[in-house]
């Protein structure tokens, strides 16, 4: 069971003032970030454009949580503002169905590809990860484990994948790292691995 104090969270004001960030290899944000800090969307768009010009990869996980938005239309409007600025998107098919009405991996890839995203990593309900880039298309099923708590599985997958890709590793190695880390996390309670 989790309790979130997002109404008074410092993250709500994250983009209310312009940020000046430089020398980053990647900038990661999620739909949760957008939902709770949406009042600063114009500043965020300017920041992302600046970072892209400086060769920083913009990475986005839509991570759609309907209760954080006024309604689906608001979520779609704000998310559409940043998608053309994204280099890599890590959608989960269940979220895509709720957000965009997309329930097929190929349609999900096409949706983001058509918005100019260069790398799409779709996490499917059958635990297969599907990666699309203009030169690579690969699907990799995850090894089955007995989950104890699935909290944080998607975040762990993203962390494993990005740790390899931002280090300029290849997609196969990134998928292997992503699925291995996610499998480890779901075998522990609370989404945090023991030290």
């Amino acid at each position: 069971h989790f309790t979130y104090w997002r109404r008074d969270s410092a993250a709500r004001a994250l983009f209310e003032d312009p940020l000046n960030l430089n020398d980053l290899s990647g900038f990661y944000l999620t739909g949760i970030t957008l939902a709770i800090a949406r009042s600063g969307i114009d500043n965020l768009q300017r920041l992302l454009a600046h970072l892209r010009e400086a060769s920083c990869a913009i990475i986005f996980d839509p991570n759609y949580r309907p209760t954080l938005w006024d309604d689906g239309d608001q979520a779609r409007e704000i998310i559409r503002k940043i998608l053309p600025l994204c280099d890599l998107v890590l959608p989960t098919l269940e979220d895509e169905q709720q957000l965009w009405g997309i329930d097929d991996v190929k349609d999900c890839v096409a949706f983001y590809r058509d918005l100019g995203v260069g790398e799409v990593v779709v996490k499917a309900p059958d635990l297969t990860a599907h990666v699309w880039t203009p030169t690579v298309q690969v699907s990799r099923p995850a090894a089955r484990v007995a989950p104890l708590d699935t909290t944080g599985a998607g975040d762990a997958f993203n962390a494993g994948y990005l740790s390899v890709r931002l280090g300029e590793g290849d997609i196969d190695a990134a998928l292997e790292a992503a699925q291995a880390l996610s499998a480890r996390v779901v075998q522990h309670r609370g989404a945090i691995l023991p030290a």
Side-chain angles (χ1 to χ4, degrees), residues 173-190:
L175 283 174
E176 183 177 349
Q179 291 172 329
L181 184 56
S182 185
R184 283 184 58 213
V185 165
V186 300
Q187 293 177 76
H188 299 276
R189 290 201 185 280

Side-chain angles (χ1 to χ4, degrees), residues 122-146:
V122 181
K123 296 163 278 185
D126 68 356
L127 303 183
T128 299
H130 306 269
V131 181
W132 174 90
T133 73
T135 58
V136 175
Q137 293 83 48
V138 64
S139 297
R140 179 186 166 112
R144 296 289 174 168
V145 297

Side-chain angles (χ1 to χ4, degrees), residues 6 28-33 35 60-66 68-69 79 90-92 95-96 99 112 123 154-155 158:
R6 289 192 175 119
Y28 174 80
L29 72 158
T30 74
I32 294 172
T33 311
F60 180 61
D61 180 343
N63 214 354
Y64 180 56
R65 300 297 176 263
L68 297 178
W69 298 94
I79 290 171
L90 297 133
T92 301
D95 291 351
E96 298 302 292
L99 183 59
Y112 290 107
K123 296 163 278 185
D155 294 326
N158 293 353

Side-chain angles (χ1 to χ4, degrees), residues 8-135:
D8 299 317
S9 167
R12 281 200 173 276
L14 185 61
F15 304 115
E16 287 184 359
D17 295 316
L19 291 174
N20 185 16
L21 299 174
N22 295 300
D23 300 323
L24 299 177
S25 59
F27 185 90
Y28 174 80
L29 72 158
T30 74
I32 294 172
T33 311
L34 290 181
I36 63 177
R38 61 184 175 255
S39 63
I41 188 66
D42 293 338
N43 286 331
L44 175 60
Q45 284 179 279
R46 284 190 287 276
L47 172 64
L48 296 181
H50 166 75
L51 291 173
R52 262 193 116 185
E53 288 174 12
S55 300
C56 173
I58 307 302
I59 303 150
F60 180 61
D61 180 343
N63 214 354
Y64 180 56
R65 300 297 176 263
T67 58
L68 297 178
W69 298 94
D70 294 342
D71 55 43
D73 289 338
Q74 180 191 49
R76 286 183 285 276
E77 178 186 348
I78 289 177
I79 290 171
R80 277 189 181 275
K81 288 182 177 184
I82 66 127
L83 284 176
L85 297 167
C86 295
D87 299 292
L88 193 161
V89 176
L90 297 133
T92 301
L93 204 54
E94 294 103 322
D95 291 351
E96 298 302 292
Q97 201 288 321
Q98 289 183 52
L99 183 59
W100 306 109
I102 297 171
D103 56 10
D104 177 80
V105 171
K106 289 181 182 177
D107 292 342
C108 185
V109 167
F111 175 78
Y112 290 107
R113 180 195 63 217
D114 292 348
L115 289 168
V117 176
E119 187 166 341
V120 182
V121 184
V122 181
K123 296 163 278 185
D126 68 356
L127 303 183
T128 299
H130 306 269
V131 181
W132 174 90
T133 73
T135 58

